[in-house]
Amino acid sequence: MAEFEFITSAGEKIPIIINVRRGARNITLRPKAGDNRHIEITRPWIASNTAALKFVEQKRRWLERFFANAPVRRHLKSGDWFEFLDMRVRVVYDTGVRANKFVLNDDGTYTLFVGGDATLIENRVRMFVKTELLKQIKDLIRKVPREYWPRRICLRDTSSRWGSCSTTGTMSFSWRLGLAPFDVMRYVVMHELAHTKHMDHSPEFWATVRELYGFGVERAKRWLNTNGAHLHQVL
């Protein structure tokens, strides 16, 4: 049992984890959904736990809304289907498979054969998605002018943003974009590449996004706003 808990109006008890950081200036909190729902709080060493918990209560309406809308994760098992960049993929566990095997079926769908420990099926699928997505992202970036290329690309499992571009040249993407349609993933990549020229969302920035992406920017953006939360339901 956690030392502190946030009890929702529905009666759910969500653990609160408080971290003390000397360099922190303010109290910040991050709610986490998924299988291990909890709230992470970072507070300065001069602030008390009481102050941190009071801050949680001040954010109660937002936290209630966050956890109420957070998707319930659906676990994959052998025989289940998932979407990968416009490809419909069926997961099949096969004890004779030593490495993931990705096969195109006669009907246009795909089968991903995974082996190893039967309890690690989801881990195998997750690694497949990450590996193949990173290849796709790199291929897309190679097709734009070199002046937009980042210094480094990494994949993360973020709940609040699909991509980010730092001033140091590092570009991060949510690996869950691999579960989205290809053009939606491509939109996020072009969005972040445009940030290498414009670290804002000015009209000039959006003009650059459209220049890099081509026709259909608003459609891809709308799909992500409408369906993005569902990408957190799998794996």
Side-chain angles (χ1 to χ4, degrees), residues 40-108:
E40 289 185 4
I41 298 178
T42 299
R43 68 168 176 82
W45 70 274
I46 60 172
S48 65
N49 286 344
T50 300
L53 295 174
K54 183 177 180 180
F55 184 66
V56 170
E57 282 303 316
Q58 292 173 353
K59 299 295 182 180
R60 170 169 287 277
R61 292 182 61 183
W62 174 67
L63 289 168
E64 291 263 12
R65 187 164 58 249
F66 174 86
F67 287 111
N69 295 332
V72 177
R73 189 162 296 176
R74 174 175 64 88
H75 292 282
L76 281 181
K77 60 184 182 301
S78 184
D80 286 347
W81 295 83
F82 71 96
E83 299 291 330
F84 173 68
L85 299 178
D86 295 330
M87 290 177 275
R88 184 162 172 73
V89 184
R90 183 169 180 254
V91 181
V92 174
Y93 177 68
D94 185 342
T95 55
V97 174
R98 303 187 70 177
N100 287 347
K101 186 178 179 182
F102 193 50
V103 178
L104 173 62
N105 303 317
D106 292 337
D107 62 357

Side-chain angles (χ1 to χ4, degrees), residues 148-163:
Y148 291 99
W149 290 13
R151 292 184 178 179
R152 179 171 172 263
I153 303 169
C154 61
L155 298 179
R156 303 184 186 280
D157 190 6
T158 54
S159 58
S160 60
R161 56 174 61 184
W162 300 108

